[in-house]
Amino acid sequence: MIPRSSAPRRAGAAAFVFAAFTAATMASAQPAPTYGDALYQPKLRQPGKDVMWLPTPEAMVTRMLAAARTSRDDLVYDLGAGEGRIPIAAAREFGASAVGIEYDQALAALAERNVVRAGVADRVRIIAGDVFKEDFTRATVVTLYLLPELNHQLRPQLLAMKPGTRVVSYMWDMGEWEPDETITQGGDQAFLWTVPAPVGGHWTVRDSKGAVVATLTLAQQFQRVGGTMAMAGTVQPLLGAFVQGPTLGFTFIAADGGVRSARLRVDGTRATGNMVFVEQVTPITATR
């Protein structure tokens, strides 16, 4: 016979164990998440050409596209599009146009059907092809979830894209090309880069009348830049030099001791902008 004082506690414990067992049984009975449709059901970690298929978590997809400042003015290319979730999210959540490149023919066909089901077929296109052979140079945002060695193989092509293009990689970085931002979501991470303009070399700086006012010597490693400014017979090191997309910026101390700063927009071998000293703004151009 169970003592009266302990019966409620034991009954409550039994009920708790039964409820926990029932919940666990129901959870184990839940079907595994599906990513396909009646025509095709891809399997997680199924092998592909160079990688196995694992979709980027949907919460991270949104974080990645938001970090890249994706908007309706962008053309997003997703390299390794899988079932199409990133191109679809770019169009549906951010209003962008998007293209997904997927090597696996069955996955690419599934992605096309998903695009139609999502109601974004007017803004999303799926290409069944190889990311190393297809042209994605028109992209303003590039997303990828590949392997480190594949990222490194693509790195020269990404760096040759239009300055200001944003690149976001889930899980893997680009080696010596440091990310501008690390994105975290739960225990996951992604990396963001902005393609920098190539600025290394010797530049001649002129004022608005065309007179030479300085010469600029720059060394560059990805978005890191440094160098010197020769002005009025004095060579000074650049301070806080940076290149972000098409923008080159730096500060220097002139021969008169005044601190001057410059911001230029780089377009190939020509750059235009302003040099600022206190409240005095001098338009300048630079040619390499």
Side-chain angles (χ1 to χ4, degrees):
M1 187 175 183
I2 299 172
R4 189 184 301 254
S5 60
S6 63
R9 289 198 297 270
R10 293 190 179 183
F16 174 79
V17 171
F18 176 77
F21 174 78
T22 302
T25 303
M26 292 178 63
S28 63
Q30 294 297 318
T34 58
Y35 300 93
D37 57 17
L39 297 178
Y40 178 63
Q41 285 288 342
K43 296 181 180 179
L44 294 177
R45 297 181 177 83
Q46 68 182 32
K49 175 177 177 287
D50 298 303
V51 297
M52 59 183 176
W53 179 69
L54 279 172
T56 303
E58 291 186 3
M60 179 59 86
V61 168
T62 300
R63 290 289 307 279
M64 290 167 61
L65 291 169
R69 307 181 307 282
T70 307
S71 74
R72 62 179 63 255
D73 298 324
D74 283 309
L75 174 58
V76 178
Y77 266 75
D78 183 33
L79 309 186
E83 85 288 18
R85 65 176 55 190
I86 290 181
I88 290 171
R92 189 165 55 189
E93 299 178 30
F94 297 87
S97 298
V99 179
I101 302 175
E102 173 54 51
Y103 185 83
D104 186 285
Q105 299 281 333
L107 271 174
L110 171 61
E112 289 181 337
R113 295 193 296 274
N114 286 340
V115 166
V116 173
R117 280 189 282 265
V120 292
D122 59 329
R123 282 172 289 157
V124 177
R125 182 166 62 99
I126 302 296
I127 297 173
D130 190 328
V131 299
F132 289 97
K133 296 178 180 179
E134 299 294 335
D135 180 13
F136 54 88
T137 55
R138 294 193 307 116
T140 57
V141 175
V142 177
T143 59
L144 56 162
Y145 177 21
L146 302 174
L147 291 174
E149 57 267 29
L150 301 181
N151 281 8
H152 295 173
Q153 291 177 42
L154 284 168
R155 193 173 72 183
Q157 192 171 347
L158 294 169
L159 283 164
M161 296 184 72
K162 184 178 179 180
T165 301
R166 288 88 72 203
V167 179
V168 197
S169 171
Y170 177 53
M171 290 293 291
W172 307 112
D173 62 18
M174 294 279 177
E176 301 88 349
W177 185 13
E178 302 171 71
D180 297 314
E181 182 182 343
T182 298
I183 306 154
T184 58
Q185 175 67 41
D188 295 332
Q189 62 181 6
F191 305 96
L192 169 70
W193 298 263
T194 301
V195 175
V199 299
H202 300 281
W203 296 77
T204 300
V205 183
R206 293 178 169 84
D207 61 18
S208 59
K209 297 180 180 179
V212 175
V213 295
T215 56
L216 184 65
T217 302
L218 297 175
Q220 180 180 12
Q221 181 72 0
F222 305 113
Q223 73 269 49
R224 304 296 183 185
V225 62
T228 58
M229 170 77 87
M231 189 176 189
T234 301
V235 178
Q236 298 285 357
L238 301 181
L239 308 173
F242 69 91
V243 57
Q244 184 175 28
T247 302
L248 169 65
F250 56 87
T251 300
F252 65 98
I253 301 173
D256 59 6
V259 178
R260 290 167 169 79
S261 62
R263 295 291 184 272
L264 300 129
R265 184 175 181 85
V266 180
D267 185 7
T269 59
R270 181 179 173 83
T272 58
N274 296 302
M275 187 178 299
V276 180
F277 176 56
V278 191
E279 296 182 356
Q280 179 183 353
V281 178
T282 304
I284 56 173
T285 60
T287 54
R288 180 168 48 184

